[in-house]
Amino acid sequence: MAKETSRHGETYLEGYGRGVSRAKPDYFSVQFEISKEHPDDDVCYDEVSKDAEKVLQAVKGWAGEQDLVRTTSFSYSHYTYHDKRGIWKYGETIAVVSTTIFVESGRVDEIAKLLTLARKNGATEISNVSFQLSDSLRREERKKALEAAVEAAQFDASVAAKAFGLKVAGLDHADILSGFTHDTYSDRYIDCDNMLNDSSPLMNRRYEEDDAPDFIDAGEITTSVSLSTVFRLAP
């Protein structure tokens, strides 16, 4: 939308421009959890330790020099079992042990392979799959979006000025109103079959092989920038 205004004997044209740029993400992060529960604390602790080490080694074997792999959390707790028809004794104290492994990587094309690898080596949950733009690509995309916004504002100004019987003499000032980047396919949650036995009331269901997807479409990430402009007009 353009609006003609006058001040100090000069004519100005207020306008607006919005630019959009889209790019495939070149960076992703994901979280793997290894969790067990059992009435015997030592059994529970040992199983999680064993499976966590197995997942960690498998993920590190996949990872490249630029990839980040780290353990981000560990929890050890208890609850009282109250299901009379469950696999544990009613009123029994159950130990719950879990640990989380976090991965960041620029190898977007291999994320399905990584998810399947983690599941097959003992991950019980896969969550927070998030595709992003690296810092360098984010700057490049923002530049493209801003250039498109400027071009749109200039085009609108020239068309509107011509309709007023005037022409654009120059830019008085411009303000960037907003700019954002949003992720796609984020916060996805995948349950995995990693149980060595069916002892857990929370995780005793067997899952199919394709619960960890054969492929994931990362889609595109949109960067948009909006700006307001004021152009000087001349006869």
Side-chain angles (χ1 to χ4, degrees):
M1 181 179 69
K3 181 175 67 173
E4 183 186 18
T5 61
S6 297
R7 63 178 185 267
H8 306 302
E10 295 187 324
T11 302
Y12 296 86
L13 185 67
E14 299 178 7
Y16 169 85
R18 181 173 183 269
V20 175
S21 183
R22 296 180 176 85
K24 290 187 176 297
D26 64 343
Y27 181 80
F28 76 87
S29 61
V30 62
Q31 183 171 287
F32 303 118
E33 182 174 331
I34 302 91
S35 181
K36 302 273 188 175
E37 60 177 56
H38 197 279
D40 188 318
D41 288 42
D42 290 338
V43 170
C44 189
Y45 194 95
D46 290 345
E47 286 190 356
V48 169
S49 297
K50 180 178 64 176
D51 283 356
E53 180 64 20
K54 187 178 178 183
V55 173
L56 193 59
Q57 292 306 316
V59 171
K60 284 185 174 181
W62 169 89
E65 291 184 1
Q66 302 301 316
D67 299 331
L68 173 65
V69 180
R70 68 174 185 266
T71 301
T72 56
S73 67
F74 174 83
S75 66
Y76 179 35
S77 61
H78 296 83
Y79 75 95
T80 303
Y81 192 68
H82 291 300
D83 187 350
K84 293 182 179 180
R85 295 177 296 179
I87 59 174
W88 308 127
K89 294 179 181 179
Y90 182 83
E92 192 169 24
T93 299
I94 307 300
V96 181
V97 179
S98 65
T99 189
T100 303
I101 297 170
F102 180 78
V103 180
E104 289 180 335
S105 175
R107 298 154 65 190
V108 175
D109 292 341
E110 295 188 35
I111 185 170
K113 178 180 179 180
L114 175 63
L115 266 57
T116 303
L117 181 68
R119 179 186 63 80
K120 289 183 176 180
N121 281 277
T124 55
E125 296 175 8
I126 301 173
S127 61
N128 298 325
V129 178
S130 179
F131 293 99
Q132 305 150 27
L133 302 181
S134 62
D135 290 343
S136 58
L137 183 56
R138 184 180 295 111
R139 287 192 294 269
E140 180 181 336
E141 288 302 296
R142 184 166 176 79
K143 179 176 180 290
K144 291 179 181 178
L146 186 55
E147 289 174 343
V150 171
E151 183 178 348
Q154 289 175 330
F155 175 80
D156 288 354
S158 63
V159 172
K162 185 176 181 181
F164 293 136
L166 301 170
K167 63 182 180 181
V168 175
L171 177 68
D172 185 70
H173 70 269
D175 295 312
I176 297 176
L177 302 177
S178 65
F180 66 89
T181 301
H182 72 268
D183 296 341
T184 60
Y185 201 90
S186 61
D187 295 326
R188 298 302 174 97
Y189 175 88
I190 303 169
D191 282 317
C192 301
D193 171 25
N194 82 319
M195 299 304 294
L196 300 179
N197 54 60
D198 288 331
S199 62
S200 171
L202 297 180
M203 291 173 272
N204 61 3
R205 182 169 68 87
R206 291 295 177 180
Y207 296 90
E208 299 299 328
E209 286 295 317
D210 59 0
D211 276 350
D214 293 329
F215 70 91
I216 293 178
D217 185 357
E220 293 183 328
I221 292 179
T222 301
T223 302
S224 76
V225 177
S226 300
L227 55 83
S228 64
T229 57
V230 177
F231 289 94
R232 295 188 304 275
L233 301 184

